[in-house]
Amino acid sequence: MSLPATPTSNSGRRIRLALALAAAALFPFLAVAPAQAHDSLTSTTPAKDTTVTTAPSRVSLTLSEPPTDSASLNTSVIKVTDSTGATISDGKVTVSGATLSTTVTKGANGPYTVLWRAVSSDGHPVEGSYSFTVQDPTPVAAATPQASQPAASATQTQATQPAAADSARPDDSNGPIVAALAAAVVLIVAAGFFFSQKSRRNER
Protein backbone atom coordinates (compact mmCIF):
# COMPACT_ATOMS: atom_id res chain seq x y z
CA MET A 1 0.00 0.00 0.00
CA SER A 2 1.62 3.28 -1.12
CA LEU A 3 1.64 6.35 0.95
CA PRO A 4 0.00 9.47 -0.44
CA ALA A 5 2.37 12.16 -1.73
CA THR A 6 2.92 14.93 0.70
CA PRO A 7 2.68 18.60 -0.36
CA THR A 8 6.37 19.09 0.51
CA SER A 9 7.57 16.33 -1.83
CA ASN A 10 5.41 17.58 -4.70
CA SER A 11 6.78 21.10 -4.29
CA GLY A 12 10.42 19.84 -4.39
CA ARG A 13 9.78 17.92 -7.57
CA ARG A 14 8.28 20.96 -9.23
CA ILE A 15 11.31 23.10 -8.28
CA ARG A 16 13.76 20.54 -9.62
CA LEU A 17 11.79 20.22 -12.86
CA ALA A 18 11.73 24.00 -13.33
CA LEU A 19 15.49 24.26 -12.79
CA ALA A 20 16.12 21.48 -15.31
CA LEU A 21 13.95 23.17 -17.93
CA ALA A 22 15.68 26.54 -17.34
CA ALA A 23 19.14 24.98 -17.71
CA ALA A 24 18.10 23.26 -20.94
CA ALA A 25 16.81 26.53 -22.34
CA LEU A 26 19.99 28.46 -21.46
CA PHE A 27 22.46 25.80 -22.66
CA PRO A 28 22.42 26.80 -26.40
CA PHE A 29 23.09 30.44 -25.52
CA LEU A 30 25.94 29.51 -23.19
CA ALA A 31 27.49 27.28 -25.87
CA VAL A 32 27.58 29.95 -28.60
CA ALA A 33 28.56 32.87 -26.37
CA PRO A 34 32.37 32.40 -26.82
CA ALA A 35 32.01 32.21 -30.62
CA GLN A 36 29.95 35.39 -30.70
CA ALA A 37 32.61 37.24 -28.72
CA HIS A 38 34.95 37.34 -31.77
CA ASP A 39 34.43 40.05 -34.36
CA SER A 40 32.99 39.13 -37.74
CA LEU A 41 33.18 40.53 -41.27
CA THR A 42 30.15 42.77 -41.88
CA SER A 43 30.82 44.27 -45.33
CA THR A 44 33.39 44.54 -48.14
CA THR A 45 34.18 46.92 -51.01
CA PRO A 46 33.75 45.66 -53.70
CA ALA A 47 30.94 43.62 -52.23
CA LYS A 48 31.35 39.88 -51.82
CA ASP A 49 30.23 37.69 -54.77
CA THR A 50 29.46 40.68 -57.01
CA THR A 51 30.69 41.67 -60.50
CA VAL A 52 32.14 45.12 -61.13
CA THR A 53 32.92 46.71 -64.51
CA THR A 54 35.77 48.87 -63.23
CA ALA A 55 38.84 47.37 -61.64
CA PRO A 56 39.09 48.72 -58.07
CA SER A 57 42.08 50.70 -56.89
CA ARG A 58 41.42 49.74 -53.25
CA VAL A 59 39.86 46.77 -51.49
CA SER A 60 38.25 47.36 -48.09
CA LEU A 61 36.58 45.20 -45.48
CA THR A 62 34.72 46.22 -42.34
CA LEU A 63 34.59 44.21 -39.12
CA SER A 64 31.89 44.34 -36.47
CA GLU A 65 34.32 46.05 -34.07
CA PRO A 66 37.68 47.86 -34.49
CA PRO A 67 40.90 46.28 -33.16
CA THR A 68 41.65 46.87 -29.50
CA ASP A 69 45.00 48.66 -29.85
CA SER A 70 47.56 49.94 -32.35
CA ALA A 71 49.78 46.88 -31.88
CA SER A 72 46.98 44.74 -33.32
CA LEU A 73 47.00 46.76 -36.52
CA ASN A 74 50.50 45.56 -37.39
CA THR A 75 49.22 41.99 -37.72
CA SER A 76 46.43 42.88 -40.17
CA VAL A 77 46.83 41.30 -43.62
CA ILE A 78 44.89 41.74 -46.87
CA LYS A 79 46.12 39.81 -49.92
CA VAL A 80 44.34 40.24 -53.26
CA THR A 81 45.02 38.00 -56.28
CA ASP A 82 43.51 38.21 -59.76
CA SER A 83 42.21 35.43 -61.99
CA THR A 84 45.76 34.43 -63.00
CA GLY A 85 46.86 34.04 -59.38
CA ALA A 86 49.07 37.14 -59.47
CA THR A 87 49.18 39.21 -56.28
CA ILE A 88 47.96 42.73 -57.07
CA SER A 89 47.83 44.17 -53.52
CA ASP A 90 50.77 46.25 -52.27
CA GLY A 91 51.08 44.44 -48.92
CA LYS A 92 50.23 47.54 -46.85
CA VAL A 93 47.06 47.69 -44.75
CA THR A 94 45.51 50.90 -43.47
CA VAL A 95 42.92 50.88 -40.69
CA SER A 96 40.22 53.46 -40.05
CA GLY A 97 37.98 52.44 -37.19
CA ALA A 98 36.72 48.96 -37.99
CA THR A 99 37.54 49.23 -41.72
CA LEU A 100 40.75 47.75 -43.14
CA SER A 101 41.86 48.51 -46.70
CA THR A 102 44.76 48.02 -49.11
CA THR A 103 45.79 49.48 -52.46
CA VAL A 104 45.62 47.20 -55.52
CA THR A 105 46.75 47.50 -59.11
CA LYS A 106 44.65 46.49 -62.09
CA GLY A 107 44.83 42.79 -62.84
CA ALA A 108 43.34 40.41 -65.38
CA ASN A 109 39.57 40.20 -65.74
CA GLY A 110 37.88 37.39 -63.87
CA PRO A 111 37.47 36.38 -60.23
CA TYR A 112 39.55 38.22 -57.64
CA THR A 113 40.26 36.46 -54.33
CA VAL A 114 40.75 38.33 -51.05
CA LEU A 115 42.49 36.65 -48.13
CA TRP A 116 42.39 38.63 -44.88
CA ARG A 117 43.52 38.34 -41.28
CA ALA A 118 42.99 40.75 -38.39
CA VAL A 119 42.81 40.83 -34.60
CA SER A 120 39.41 40.78 -32.97
CA SER A 121 38.52 43.39 -30.38
CA ASP A 122 38.84 40.66 -27.74
CA GLY A 123 42.48 40.08 -28.78
CA HIS A 124 41.90 36.85 -30.72
CA PRO A 125 42.90 36.54 -34.41
CA VAL A 126 40.14 36.32 -36.99
CA GLU A 127 40.56 35.53 -40.68
CA GLY A 128 38.66 34.57 -43.78
CA SER A 129 38.38 34.92 -47.55
CA TYR A 130 35.89 36.06 -50.15
CA SER A 131 35.82 36.82 -53.86
CA PHE A 132 34.36 39.19 -56.41
CA THR A 133 34.55 39.37 -60.22
CA VAL A 134 36.02 42.10 -62.42
CA GLN A 135 34.87 42.57 -66.02
CA ASP A 136 36.60 45.80 -66.97
CA PRO A 137 36.38 46.59 -70.72
CA THR A 138 39.49 48.77 -70.50
CA PRO A 139 42.52 46.56 -71.30
CA VAL A 140 45.45 46.40 -68.96
CA ALA A 141 48.23 48.69 -70.22
CA ALA A 142 51.03 46.60 -71.70
CA ALA A 143 54.43 47.17 -70.20
CA THR A 144 56.88 48.91 -72.53
CA PRO A 145 59.74 46.51 -73.35
CA GLN A 146 62.95 47.75 -71.82
CA ALA A 147 65.34 45.07 -73.06
CA SER A 148 65.65 46.52 -76.57
CA GLN A 149 66.76 49.96 -75.40
CA PRO A 150 70.25 48.98 -74.17
CA ALA A 151 70.87 47.09 -77.42
CA ALA A 152 69.90 50.14 -79.45
CA SER A 153 72.10 52.43 -77.40
CA ALA A 154 74.97 49.97 -77.67
CA THR A 155 74.57 49.93 -81.45
CA GLN A 156 74.57 53.70 -81.54
CA THR A 157 77.70 53.79 -79.39
CA GLN A 158 79.47 51.35 -81.66
CA ALA A 159 78.42 53.38 -84.70
CA THR A 160 79.77 56.61 -83.24
CA GLN A 161 83.08 55.16 -82.04
CA PRO A 162 84.72 54.87 -85.51
CA ALA A 163 83.63 58.41 -86.31
CA ALA A 164 85.17 59.64 -83.08
CA ALA A 165 88.37 57.73 -83.82
CA ASP A 166 88.53 59.20 -87.33
CA SER A 167 88.07 62.71 -86.02
CA ALA A 168 90.86 62.22 -83.49
CA ARG A 169 93.32 60.87 -86.10
CA PRO A 170 95.83 63.59 -87.36
CA ASP A 171 95.61 64.80 -90.96
CA ASP A 172 98.57 63.22 -92.83
CA SER A 173 97.51 64.20 -96.35
CA ASN A 174 100.62 66.54 -96.60
CA GLY A 175 103.01 63.81 -95.52
CA PRO A 176 104.65 63.21 -98.97
CA ILE A 177 105.28 66.96 -99.49
CA VAL A 178 106.90 67.31 -96.08
CA ALA A 179 109.12 64.29 -96.77
CA ALA A 180 110.20 65.68 -100.16
CA LEU A 181 111.09 69.05 -98.62
CA ALA A 182 113.09 67.35 -95.89
CA ALA A 183 115.00 65.32 -98.50
CA ALA A 184 115.72 68.47 -100.54
CA VAL A 185 117.11 70.25 -97.49
CA VAL A 186 119.34 67.27 -96.77
CA LEU A 187 120.60 67.27 -100.38
CA ILE A 188 121.26 71.00 -100.29
CA VAL A 189 123.22 70.73 -97.04
CA ALA A 190 125.18 67.79 -98.40
CA ALA A 191 125.94 69.60 -101.66
CA GLY A 192 127.08 72.71 -99.80
CA PHE A 193 129.36 70.63 -97.59
CA PHE A 194 130.80 68.84 -100.66
CA PHE A 195 131.56 72.05 -102.56
CA SER A 196 133.08 73.71 -99.51
CA GLN A 197 135.47 70.79 -99.05
CA LYS A 198 136.35 70.82 -102.72
CA SER A 199 137.13 74.55 -102.72
CA ARG A 200 139.41 74.10 -99.70
CA ARG A 201 141.33 71.39 -101.51
CA ASN A 202 141.80 73.59 -104.59
CA GLU A 203 143.10 76.45 -102.44
CA ARG A 204 145.81 74.21 -101.14
Side-chain angles (χ1 to χ4, degrees), residues 87-175:
T87 300
I88 57 175
S89 51
D90 64 358
K92 299 178 181 178
V93 177
T94 58
V95 180
S96 177
T99 300
L100 295 79
S101 60
T102 186
T103 301
V104 297
T105 57
K106 185 176 181 180
N109 282 343
Y112 282 37
T113 302
V114 181
L115 301 176
W116 64 273
R117 183 173 70 248
V119 177
S120 176
S121 58
D122 63 357
H124 291 85
V126 289
E127 61 184 9
S129 64
Y130 64 92
S131 62
F132 59 91
T133 302
V134 174
Q135 293 297 338
D136 193 335
T138 305
V140 179
T144 303
Q146 300 294 331
S148 60
Q149 293 181 356
S153 60
T155 303
Q156 293 174 358
T157 301
Q158 293 176 358
T160 56
Q161 284 179 353
D166 292 341
S167 62
R169 185 180 302 167
D171 186 6
D172 55 357
S173 60
N174 295 327

Side-chain angles (χ1 to χ4, degrees), residues 65-92:
E65 295 291 338
T68 54
D69 50 40
S70 58
S72 300
L73 306 183
N74 298 327
T75 62
S76 300
V77 175
I78 301 177
K79 181 180 179 181
V80 185
T81 55
D82 66 4
S83 59
T84 65
T87 300
I88 57 175
S89 51
D90 64 358
K92 299 178 181 178

Side-chain angles (χ1 to χ4, degrees), residues 45-59:
T45 304
K48 176 182 177 182
D49 298 330
T50 59
T51 298
V52 295
T53 56
T54 301
S57 59
R58 292 186 69 82
V59 168

